[in-house]
Amino acid sequence: QVQLVESGGGLVQAGGSLRLSCAASGRTTSTLTMGWFRQAPAKEREFVAVTSWRGGTTYYPDSVKGRFTISRDNAENTLFLQMNSLNPEDTAVYYCAARSGSGAKTKESDYDYWGQGTQVTVSS
């Protein structure tokens, strides 16, 4: 089992930045693909970013491409999401997710482990 704990959420004005972190524990010695999803009120959970185990492959949807950057520090078992140029449409609960395997996946159903989420609120 893998445990994930997100942090770094909060309230920010439009145009501002936040950096989210996700600390992983448990069976983290094996290869893990890790990513971020988000869910706004009354909306489906959507893919935000993913990185392969070694960080060499990343994917982003058009909604965040060029503004968000995913990275990871495997020595510290930590995943990051740098969010710049935030707008009110980015307001959501952000979730860290992980799956066993080296392939970068973008579907929610492909992930095995989830954090509890951290709230990001962007004011206009």
Side-chain angles (χ1 to χ4, degrees):
Q1 188 69 251
V2 175
Q3 293 79 47
L4 305 173
V5 180
E6 304 96 335
S7 62
L11 176 65
V12 64
Q13 293 182 328
S17 299
L18 283 174
R19 191 190 194 202
L20 305 183
S21 298
C22 172
S25 61
R27 298 189 64 184
T28 56
T29 56
S30 60
T31 300
L32 288 178
T33 297
M34 301 187 71
W36 292 94
F37 291 76
R38 68 185 182 186
Q39 187 167 20
K43 298 290 186 179
E44 295 285 322
R45 189 170 298 184
E46 65 175 338
F47 166 72
V48 173
V50 63
T51 182
S52 60
W53 182 49
R54 291 182 171 85
T57 302
T58 58
Y59 295 106
Y60 306 89
D62 290 341
S63 58
V64 308
K65 192 175 299 181
R67 300 188 298 119
F68 291 9
T69 302
I70 189 171
S71 62
R72 64 192 297 170
D73 184 345
N74 288 342
E76 298 293 333
N77 295 318
T78 304
L79 180 74
F80 303 98
L81 183 68
Q82 179 66 47
M83 305 185 295
N84 299 323
S85 301
L86 288 163
N87 58 67
E89 289 69 41
D90 296 316
T91 295
V93 176
Y94 283 71
Y95 297 91
C96 176
R99 64 179 298 274
S100 297
S102 59
K105 303 294 185 180
T106 61
K107 295 182 181 297
E108 179 181 354
S109 60
D110 288 325
Y111 287 81
D112 304 306
Y113 311 106
W114 294 85
Q116 294 299 307
T118 184
Q119 177 70 48
V120 172
T121 302
V122 184
S123 62
S124 59

